[in-house]
Amino acid sequence: MEINRYIDHTLLKANALASEISKLCLEAKQYHFKSVCVNPGFVSLAKKELQGSDVLVCTVIGFPLGATTCASKVSETSNALKDGADEIDMVINISHAKMHDYQYIENEIKAIKAVCQNHTLKVILETCLLTDEEIVATSLAAKNAGADFVKTSTGFSTGGATIHAVSLMRKTVGETMGVKASGGIHTYQEALEMINAGASRIGASSGVAIMQSLSK
């Protein structure tokens, strides 16, 4: 298994420096990770650093709370794509999920997917804040809206990816959609457990440590 090609090498902390983003990109090229995942303000830099490589640029929208308006998320997505983003990880409006207004969730995802067109759209559910029933319903909303992936977590809330949530999401969306496990995945064994549970992508800030552990 080429686990490196599962990994979105991630740096989303608020105080990240440009030099750290450059280092992230260098590491991603070295290990041939699937993508780097950075905040929108660093998309242009990441695109420049990764030019000519096989590493994609992923960015986050409505991050980390998901509580901005749909129009704001659409605008943010459009700007990120213009700056060179290849993949978009958007946070749903979690309040609407908790109110069981799943049509709002679906409509918002549809609006962003319309901007993304052929670019990959991953939908962050923030599963630690949802019941199983809400995870199923929001996963179905993402599928109905044409999203490419459902994703567990931002990594900035009360919990990260769990085997249970990943398995439930995979069971709900079937085999045609991607499932991204993110938040709290620090080791090769943890990443492998998520993949075995149904994850087709891993979001992690510990990608280098995971890869280095394989060569020991």
Side-chain angles (χ1 to χ4, degrees):
M1 176 190 293
E2 292 183 303
I3 199 164
N4 56 310
R5 298 304 291 169
Y6 282 81
I7 294 175
D8 289 346
H9 193 36
T10 302
L11 177 54
L12 294 169
K13 64 182 183 180
N15 60 342
L17 306 176
S19 58
E20 293 175 301
I21 299 298
S22 295
K23 181 173 179 282
L24 186 83
C25 293
L26 186 65
E27 292 167 344
K29 287 190 288 186
Q30 179 183 350
Y31 290 102
H32 298 279
F33 292 133
K34 183 67 177 181
S35 82
V36 296
C37 189
V38 299
N39 279 303
F42 283 124
V43 167
S44 295
L45 173 60
K47 193 69 174 181
K48 180 181 177 182
E49 295 282 359
L50 293 168
Q51 188 173 4
S53 77
D54 60 351
V55 182
L56 302 175
V57 177
C58 173
T59 195
V60 289
I61 300 298
F63 194 87
L65 300 179
T68 52
T69 64
C70 179
S72 294
K73 291 178 185 177
V74 166
S75 177
E76 195 176 9
T77 301
S78 178
N79 289 336
L81 293 171
K82 288 175 184 174
D83 285 344
D86 301 297
E87 299 191 332
I88 298 293
D89 288 17
M90 64 162 285
V91 188
I92 64 166
N93 189 304
I94 300 158
S95 295
H96 280 274
K98 298 304 295 182
M99 294 186 289
H100 299 175
D101 186 0
Y102 302 119
Q103 192 59 55
Y104 180 96
I105 304 289
E106 184 175 331
N107 290 343
E108 182 178 71
I109 298 167
K110 278 182 179 175
I112 294 172
K113 183 58 181 176
V115 178
C116 287
Q117 297 183 352
N118 294 328
H119 295 275
T120 297
L121 174 61
K122 309 190 203 92
V123 177
I124 305 173
L125 308 183
E126 203 67 285
T127 52
C128 61
L129 301 180
L130 304 179
T131 65
D132 282 4
E133 292 76 11
E134 290 161 351
I135 291 170
V136 169
T138 50
S139 294
L140 288 174
K143 185 174 183 177
N144 293 339
D148 301 287
F149 279 75
V150 283
K151 176 179 171 181
T152 59
S153 323
T154 61
F156 286 77
S157 189
T158 58
T162 65
I163 297 295
H164 175 72
V166 169
S167 299
L168 183 58
M169 292 158 69
R170 171 55 70 201
K171 181 180 177 181
T172 301
V173 302
E175 296 302 318
T176 58
M177 273 184 81
V179 174
K180 179 175 173 179
S182 64
I185 303 169
H186 301 114
T187 68
Y188 173 77
Q189 185 59 38
E190 288 170 346
L192 189 61
E193 287 171 357
M194 293 297 171
I195 292 168
N196 289 337
S200 46
R201 195 78 68 87
I202 300 293
S205 58
S206 303
V208 172
I210 290 171
M211 297 306 296
Q212 289 177 343
S213 71
L214 296 178
S215 60
K216 290 180 180 179

